[in-house]
Amino acid sequence: MLIGRPADIRPSDITPEAVHQARRRFLRQGAVALGAAAAAPWGHAETEAPNSWEEITSYNNFYEYSPDKRAVAALAQNLNPHPWSVSIEGEVARPRTLDIDQLVREFRPQQRIYRLRCVEGWSMVIPWDGIPLADLLNQAQPTSRARYVKFVSLLDPARMYGQRRPTLPWPYTEGLTIAEAMHPLTLLATGLYGKPMPNQNGAPLRLVVPWKYGYKSIKSIVAIRLEEHLPATTWPQVAPGDYGFYANVNPRVALARGTQSRENRVGELRKRETLLFNGYADQVAQLYAGLDIDKLL
Ligand SMILES: Nc1nc2c(c(=O)[nH]1)N[C@H]1C(S)=C(S)[C@@H](COP(=O)(O)O)O[C@H]1N2
Ligand SMILES: [Mo]
């Protein structure tokens, strides 16, 4: 099982969680006992078993609820993501508003196992279920003026306690170039481990862009808007030294907060080397051909 090659990951590659857990314990012990190399060549399952359900759902960044990663899961239990609709709007020939259940019925979610790397220096491997964003965009038919895609999270301070404080400019927004949005790795995730998306992970629908820092993977999306100009998004407005629009994982470029050369895979003792484009360089480097990726922040 390779991580991140959609064509190579079949549902049968996903073992039941209990087996993952047993294998993970074994691998963890083995890694400690044998001093196994921390840096894995890109993405083989023997060294990169998915994180457990427990790990993925109890350590979350979701500022709409709290900046405390351990507090998010309990606070987000009130999200109630049904009914939920998401609109595809802006520079498209066929704008539409979709109900989440309709979206899942219409575009059958696929399983994808991706690494997630946060600028805070931690990472996980997560078995998502989701829809290639390209499928949705192709149906909406972007116009020739559509060069960027902007994503908007839910704004609802009644439900989302964290929005009652100006921690961030609400609602949380993100963006991609149209080429990035159309890339086959770019996923609109509807669940993980074969279950509907847990509230704390961004129910009912969140973006997953595995070669970019985690903050690009915006949660609880209500609008996807095709635009002509590069959209102003949340984090670059708050801390431009740490957060850029592109935010490709790059171990060679330190951010204001510090080096990004290594990472702490949740559940492991030894640090890993961070991989260029989070290990997806062979699939995404061509998106940035001719650009100096060390300058593209
Ligand atoms: N709406 C919204 N989306 C968000 C965030 C957030 O605070 N609000 N945090 C981001 C960050 S910094 C990371 S690392 C990932 C974490 O996703 P996870 O909790 O599912 O691991 O979500 C991203 N998406
Ligand atoms: Mo993050």
Side-chain angles (χ1 to χ4, degrees):
M1 177 175 67
L2 289 168
I3 294 175
R5 287 180 176 277
D8 295 349
I9 295 172
R10 291 159 293 142
S12 58
D13 288 332
I14 304 211
T15 56
E17 214 202 322
V19 180
H20 276 309
Q21 288 305 79
R23 190 170 69 190
R24 230 178 122 65
R25 272 192 297 278
F26 170 79
L27 287 167
R28 238 181 255 164
Q29 286 157 4
V32 174
L34 302 169
W42 91 279
H44 201 267
E46 263 70 281
T47 50
E48 294 193 56
N51 282 89
S52 68
W53 172 269
E54 170 63 22
E55 286 165 335
I56 297 167
T57 60
S58 65
Y59 190 79
N60 303 98
N61 271 330
F62 202 171
Y63 276 63
E64 283 86 338
Y65 280 100
S66 170
D68 175 354
K69 280 183 273 297
R70 295 276 179 208
V72 167
L75 292 172
Q77 289 318 301
N78 77 344
L79 179 59
N80 189 17
H82 283 93
W84 189 281
S85 54
V86 56
S87 62
I88 320 296
E89 54 188 52
E91 290 292 343
V92 288
R94 297 187 169 184
R96 72 185 283 214
T97 298
L98 274 131
D99 172 75
I100 182 67
D101 298 325
Q102 187 188 354
L103 181 120
V104 167
R105 269 197 309 274
E106 203 175 309
F107 302 87
R108 299 181 40 220
Q110 314 167 6
Q111 288 175 310
R112 300 276 185 90
I113 304 172
Y114 287 160
R115 300 183 199 86
L116 177 83
R117 168 64 159 80
C118 175
V119 285
E120 293 164 340
W122 55 269
S123 66
M124 294 202 208
V125 174
I126 304 181
W128 303 107
D129 304 291
I131 298 153
L133 177 60
D135 291 357
L136 202 68
L137 295 182
N138 283 329
Q139 189 197 59
Q141 298 176 11
T143 70
S144 58
R145 280 188 300 275
R147 293 173 56 218
Y148 297 93
V149 185
K150 181 174 184 170
F151 304 85
V152 184
S153 289
L154 179 68
L155 176 65
D156 187 354
R159 272 188 275 183
M160 297 174 139
Y161 313 97
Q163 288 182 336
R164 296 177 197 173
R165 280 179 276 155
T167 351
L168 294 175
W170 309 114
Y172 193 105
T173 56
E174 258 308 333
L176 296 172
T177 66
I178 188 90
E180 293 171 333
M182 288 292 192
H183 193 281
L185 283 176
T186 304
L187 202 66
L188 269 182
T190 54
L192 60 90
Y193 269 118
K195 298 181 190 138
M197 188 66 74
N199 291 354
Q200 59 268 39
N201 294 91
L205 188 72
R206 59 93 57 87
L207 185 69
V208 182
V209 195
W211 71 94
K212 293 178 179 283
Y213 290 117
Y215 66 90
K216 299 296 291 183
S217 293
I218 181 174
K219 297 179 170 183
S220 303
I221 297 170
V222 295
I224 300 173
R225 189 176 174 81
L226 287 279
E227 296 189 347
E228 187 172 353
H229 303 289
L230 192 149
T233 52
T234 299
W235 285 107
Q237 296 179 61
V238 175
D242 281 319
Y243 306 98
F245 178 81
Y246 287 92
N248 294 320
V249 174
N250 187 341
R252 301 193 293 248
V253 177
L255 304 176
R257 66 186 314 133
T259 175
Q260 297 293 320
S261 65
R262 301 206 300 159
E263 67 196 57
N264 182 22
R265 177 68 47 82
V266 171
E268 291 181 353
L269 297 177
R270 298 182 56 152
K271 288 206 170 192
R272 288 172 176 266
E273 303 291 322
T274 288
L275 305 175
L276 184 63
F277 292 113
N278 206 20
Y280 301 98
D282 64 336
Q283 294 169 79
V284 301
Q286 101 280 347
L287 287 171
Y288 311 100
L291 298 170
D292 182 348
I293 56 170
D294 293 350
K295 298 252 161 64
L296 194 73
L297 299 184

